Amino acid sequence: DSGVTQTPKHLITATGQRVTLRCSPRSGDLSVYWYQQSLDQGLQFLIQYYNGEERAKGNILERFSAQQFPDLHSELNLSSLELGDSALYFCASSPTGLRSGEQFFGPGTRLTVL
Amino acid sequence: EDQVTQSPEALRLQEGESSSLNCSYTVSGLRGLFWYRQDPGKGPEFLFTLYSAGEEKEKERLKATLTKKESFLHITAPKPEDSATYLCAVQAVDQFYFGTGTSLTVIP
């Protein structure tokens, strides 16, 4: 158990809908990262937050947005969902925002868009 | 273009048969190279961080090495419980790039 929690574990929804994925980092970790993992593309970095501020942005679509709250938990919002958004979404956390390759991953949220 | 390539895609070893996994990268401004292990249906588990060419890290039967263009994960005398997908990732400035992994199966 990494100490990172993600909810829900599974999510099934329809195209065009909007969903929110939630992540609670390990106690004391200030950075939160979001990743998308699909069978054909592997693990794709989406976005990083550090102590409430956006720190780095990867290949995150404009339909997706994220935020980190004062209690350090984070939410990833996915809107206007498409079939291709079906994937595993992982959240990870680390103590700092620099040289933070040692990330602790949560169990993931499996999103299925029908 | 920044990218990370892992080879082979899949590897089957007999228990005790040592081998190496490769991670080659082309990244501007490498900040670090990382190895993770991922079991089916679970999140990746951190193994090692390497920052500079020539650096080596060891953990049990695993040893990671880094050159200017690639990294190797050496597995010595593997056991069935080492079966997993091994992911390589690089940090370039503020971006993280993961390879697609090597799926390792160790047969008893």
Side-chain angles (χ1 to χ4, degrees):
Chain A
D1 185 357
S2 67
V4 177
T5 61
Q6 290 187 247
T7 56
K9 191 169 183 177
H10 301 278
L11 197 50
I12 301 175
T13 188
T15 55
Q17 295 299 304
R18 172 190 168 95
V19 297
T20 297
L21 312 183
R22 182 188 170 102
C23 168
S24 293
R26 291 188 324 155
S27 177
D29 283 358
L30 299 178
S31 274
V32 169
Y33 309 78
W34 286 98
Y35 292 89
Q36 179 191 59
Q37 187 173 42
S38 55
L39 284 175
D40 58 344
Q41 289 199 320
L43 206 61
Q44 299 286 315
F45 169 65
L46 296 178
I47 197 163
Q48 176 198 358
Y49 277 82
Y50 175 72
N51 203 21
E53 300 289 327
E54 184 182 302
R55 178 76 169 80
K57 188 177 275 192
N59 298 322
I60 188 167
L61 299 173
E62 285 191 11
R63 301 183 286 108
F64 296 1
S65 65
Q67 55 184 324
Q68 186 179 27
F69 295 87
D71 67 351
L72 300 177
H73 91 272
S74 178
E75 293 181 356
L76 179 67
N77 300 295
L78 315 176
S79 61
S80 303
L81 285 168
E82 302 175 359
L83 295 177
D85 297 327
S86 294
L88 260 174
Y89 290 83
F90 286 107
C91 164
S93 74
S94 69
T96 68
L98 300 174
R99 294 205 129 181
S100 46
E102 184 172 357
Q103 300 176 22
F104 298 86
F105 281 77
T109 292
R110 182 172 294 281
L111 173 66
T112 303
V113 182
L114 301 176
Chain B
E1 180 185 341
D2 295 336
Q3 65 177 12
V4 179
T5 304
Q6 290 187 248
S7 61
E9 286 187 16
L11 182 63
R12 290 172 64 90
L13 298 174
Q14 289 293 134
E15 183 172 0
E17 178 187 3
S18 302
S19 188
S20 295
L21 313 183
N22 177 263
C23 171
S24 62
Y25 60 91
T26 53
V27 168
S28 303
L30 179 73
R31 296 290 180 88
L33 185 141
F34 319 103
W35 283 97
Y36 285 82
R37 168 192 172 127
Q38 186 173 24
D39 292 301
K42 295 189 176 182
E45 177 188 346
F46 173 79
L47 294 174
F48 302 110
T49 302
L50 300 166
Y51 290 114
S52 55
E55 191 174 357
E56 298 182 352
K57 294 276 180 72
E58 283 190 70
K59 180 180 179 180
E60 296 180 358
R61 296 177 292 282
L62 301 177
K63 178 179 174 180
T65 62
L66 180 64
T67 71
K68 286 188 177 179
K69 291 189 177 181
E70 59 190 349
S71 175
F72 292 93
L73 184 65
H74 308 278
I75 302 177
T76 302
K79 298 182 177 181
E81 53 262 42
D82 294 323
S83 297
T85 296
Y86 290 85
L87 300 171
C88 167
V90 298
Q91 181 181 5
V93 192
D94 289 330
Q95 296 290 323
F96 293 91
Y97 300 96
F98 275 77
T100 51
T102 293
S103 176
L104 174 66
T105 302
V106 182
I107 304 161

